[in-house]
């Protein structure tokens, strides 16, 4: 195809070169004209050189104009050919584009139809498969329902039989329960009577014990009070009121004794506001040191009243 496209331009160029050669050959091979000798005398005449044109010049001008026209014509022909070639190329490209587009559209349509057909086929397969599965499940469900009905019937018959047996057993058990309930009520009545009697005896014993405890408490309190003056006198022997002591001052001491009556500890539980007055009170207790007569008290009374007790010191008096 490339050879055919270059053939016409080559032929045109060859013809053009032939024409140029022909024109130039006429000029180059023109025979020389005979020389005419002019006499020595000169006939002067004013001539315009521009107006003098030889036949060769006219021919050359005509050839040049012809070549120019030929060139313009060739250019025009070449331009038209290029336009035609471009148009042809564009036409072929458009044809190829349309053909490719049509082919692409055809393939897309074929693919679409194929996909739709495949989709329909799959849907149909799925539908048939679903129907078959549905029928299978329905058949299984029917068989299961039938089996369940048979089982329920058998279970109902067994339950009725069991209910009859259970009813007979319950009637026998109910009779046995009534007998046992009568025995239980009789035993419960007896137990309540015994419990009531025990409660009455316990209440009486508790009342007696409480009365005895109150009496013992009162006796213990009286016994403790009988030693109060003894303890106060023992401590008063060692208490020396400081010069700073004045009416209205009060110090409260917490005193701990051992079972032997000895002082285990003594400290201020509530200050008077005067350190010296407080120290004098503590010193008096520590100097007393022991209360041996408290050993005569009952240990319970001692623990309650004298194991730990509070004593108040005032400048005008000494009190618990």
């Amino acid at each position: 195809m490339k050879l055919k496209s270059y053939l016409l331009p080559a032929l045109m160029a060859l013809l053009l070169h032939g024409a140029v050669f022909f024109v130039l050959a006429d000029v180059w091979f023109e025979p020389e004209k005979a020389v005419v000798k002019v006499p020595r005398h000169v006939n002067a005449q004013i001539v315009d050189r521009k107006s003098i044109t030889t036949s060769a010049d006219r021919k050359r001008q005509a050839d040049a104009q012809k070549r120019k026209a030929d060139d313009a014509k060739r250019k025009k022909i070449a331009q038209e050919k290029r336009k035609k070639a471009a148009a042809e190329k564009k036409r072929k490209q458009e044809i190829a584009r349309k053909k490719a587009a049509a082919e692409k559209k055809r393939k897309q349509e074929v693919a679409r139809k194929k996909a739709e057909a495949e989709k329909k086929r799959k849907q149909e397969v799925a539908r048939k498969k679903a129907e078959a599965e549905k029928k299978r499940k329905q058949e299984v469900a029917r068989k299961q329902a039938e089996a369940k009905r048979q089982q329920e019937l058998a279970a109902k018959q067994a339950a009725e039989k069991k209910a009859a047996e259970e009813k007979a057993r319950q009637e026998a058990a109910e009779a046995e329960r009534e007998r046992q309930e009568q025995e239980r009520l009789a035993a419960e009545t007896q137990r309540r009577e015994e419990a009531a009697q025990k409660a009455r005896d316990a209440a009486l014993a508790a009342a007696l014990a409480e009365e005895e405890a109150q009496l013992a408490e009162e006796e213990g309190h009286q016994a403790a009070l009988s030693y109060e003056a003894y303890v106060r006198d023992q401590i008063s022997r060692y208490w020396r009121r400081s010069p700073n002591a004045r009416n209205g001052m009060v110090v409260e001491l917490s005193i701990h004794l051992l079972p032997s009556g000895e002082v285990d500890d003594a400290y201020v539980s509530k200050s008077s506001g005067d350190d010296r007055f407080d120290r004098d009170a503590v010193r008096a207790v520590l100097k007393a040191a022991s209360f041996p007569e408290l050993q005569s008290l009952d240990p319970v009374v001692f623990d309650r009243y004298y194991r730990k007790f509070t004593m108040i010191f005032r400048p005008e008096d000494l009190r618990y």
Side-chain angles (χ1 to χ4, degrees), residues 49 81 83 88 145 246 273 287 296 314:
R49 293 178 63 185
K81 286 182 178 180
K83 288 182 178 179
E88 181 66 18
R246 60 185 182 276
K287 283 185 176 181
S296 301
R314 293 188 177 89

Side-chain angles (χ1 to χ4, degrees), residues 132-147:
E133 181 66 15
K134 183 179 179 181
K135 288 180 180 179
R136 186 189 65 80
K137 288 182 178 179
Q138 288 175 348
E139 183 63 20
V140 170
R142 186 188 64 76
K143 290 180 179 179
Q144 290 178 349
E146 181 63 21

